[in-house]
Amino acid sequence: MAVSNALVGCPKLETLLNLSSTSTLQTPLGLIGVPRNNNRTRRGLIHRARCELSPSDSATISALEQLKNSAPDRYTKERSSIVVIGLSIHTAPVEMREKLAIPEAEWPRAIGELCGLNHIEEAAVLSTCNRMEIYVLALSQHRGVKEVTEWMSKTSGIPVSEICQHRFLLYNKDATQHIFEVSAGLDSLVLGEGQILAQVKQVVKVGQGVNGFGRNISGLFKHAITVGKRVRTETNIAAGAVSVSSAAVELALMKLPESSLASARMLIIGAGKMGKLVIKHLVAKGCNKMVVVNRSEERVTAIREEIPGVEITYRPLDEMLASAAEADVVFTSTASESPLFLKEHVETLPPASPEIGGVRLFVDISVPRNVGSCVNEVETARVYNVDDLKEVVAANKEDRLRKAMEAQTIIAEESNQFEAWRDSLETVPTIKKLRAYAERIRMAELEKCMSKMGDDINKKTTRAVDDLSRGIVNRFLHGPMQHLRCDGSDSRTLSETLENMHALNRMYGLEKDILEEKLKAMTSGQQK
C-alpha cells in the first residue's frame, strides 16, 4: 500500500509517548497507552508513527487501517495553523536580536531546517535590524512553537527560557494581521517607512523555488506586499520620515545645537543602501559637505554622481579612525559582524568641535552593532543605536494615530480576503481525490468492457469506447466540481462550498485518500 511504503525509511526516529490510561488503543504501531479521546496526542503520534515502521512491519501491517483508528477524521479536517514566533524592537533588546539575526543568504537554509522539524510544513524568515520573525505553517500550534523556539536557541546560543521571555506568538488571523501591519509600516519605529516593504518583498524573492516556502506562507507574504502598497497609496502614511536612515538623521540633528547644524562635520561609514539613504537625508536637511568611508570607492563615486552639487569626500576603510577624529557626527551602517568602534578606539580621539559642545555623536543603525556600548563610557562621546530612534518617532502622534486607524480598516478588509482564500484552498485535495476516484472506476469498468469485447476489436473502436467513458465521467463530475470551486470572495458561497466538500468526502470516503496523500507529502519533504 502507498502509505505503508511512504512510512518506511524515515530518517527521524522518535520514541513514542507512553501515556497511562485504562482506555487504550490496541494497534501494532506502538500507540498503546494513548487514550482514544486524546486527539491532540494521537494527532502527534500519527505523525511520529511513520518513523516507527520497519520494512518487515510494512509487509504485514496496513498503515492506513491503523491511522483510521487514530482519529484521521480530526487529522484531515483540522487545518494547519499559520504561526509567527518573533522578537522585535518592541519586545527584545538589540543584544538579543543581533544574536538571532539570520543573513539573507542563509534564509533558504533556515527554511529547510525549519521544515525538517516534525510539526512544521512551511516556513519563512523575516530578519531585519528591528525584528527577527519566523513564520510557519504548523501541524500543531503547541509543538510547532516548541520546536521552532528550540531551533532558535540552538542557532543563536540563547537559552530557550530567555527567548521565551522576549518572544511574541501570534496564530492564524492574528499572525495575518501582524505581517500586514509590518508590511504597511505600522509596526515600525518610523510610521510607514518604506524599507520594511522592500524587505518583505525580498522574503518572497529569496523564497521562490525554496522547498518549504509553500503555498500558504508564500501567499501570506505576497498578500502582505499588496497590503503594504495599498496602505501607502490610500493613507499617505509614508509622508515625512519613512526609514530608519531618515530617523537616524533626525535624531542626530535633534542632539546638535541649532546654531551648529550648518557647520557640523558629518562622517558616514558604509556606502550600502542604508548609508546611501543617510547621505540623501542629510542633503535633504541642508548638509552639502560630508566624508564617506567605504571598502571601495566605486559606490561612493556612484552616489556622488547621483547627488550633484554635494561635496562627498571618499576615504578608504583603513583611514576610518583618522576620519572619525575629524568628524562631529559619525553614522555607521556596515555589515561588519564585529564592532568597528570600541572604548579604546574612541578615547584616543580628540574632542569634537566646540560649537557642538565637544561631544562626538555616534549614530549606529547596524545590526549587529558597529559601535560598542562601552563607547558611552567615554566622556566626549555619545552612542545612539536603532533602539534610540524611538525618540524621533514621538513627533506628530495624532497624525500617526489617524493614519494608522485608516490603515487598520484596510488591513481588516485584506485579512478577511486572505482568510477566505485560505478557506477556499481546503477543497483542492477533495477535487483531486474525487477525480482520481472517478478515474479508477472508469478504468476498471473500461477494462471489464474491453475484455468482454474480445481481442478482435480495432483501435478506432477502442478509442471511441475510451472517449465515451471519459465523456460520461466528465459530465458526471461537472456538477460536483462546480460546487467545489470558490475564490473565497463571498462568505456565503464559501460556506456552502465547504459543506459540499465535507459531504463528498463522507459519501465517497475521500478522507482516507487525502490523509494518505498528506502523509506521503510530509514524508517526502522531510527526506529531502
Side-chain angles (χ1 to χ4, degrees), residues 17 55 61 101 113 122 133 138 204 243 286 347 384 389 457 481 515:
L17 299 176
I61 298 174
E113 291 182 2
E122 301 176 15
E133 298 176 356
V204 175
S243 71
E347 61 187 0
Y384 302 96
L389 298 181
I457 187 170
M481 291 301 176
L515 173 58

Side-chain angles (χ1 to χ4, degrees), residues 14 24 86 96 114 165 169 187 209 272 285 309 323 346 366 375-376 437 447 458 467 523:
E14 300 185 35
T24 60
M96 179 177 288
L114 288 164
Q165 288 176 8
L169 303 174
D187 197 56
K285 294 295 183 180
S323 300
V346 177
S366 304
V375 173
N376 268 321
Y437 176 79
E447 188 175 343
N458 58 44
D467 289 344
T523 305

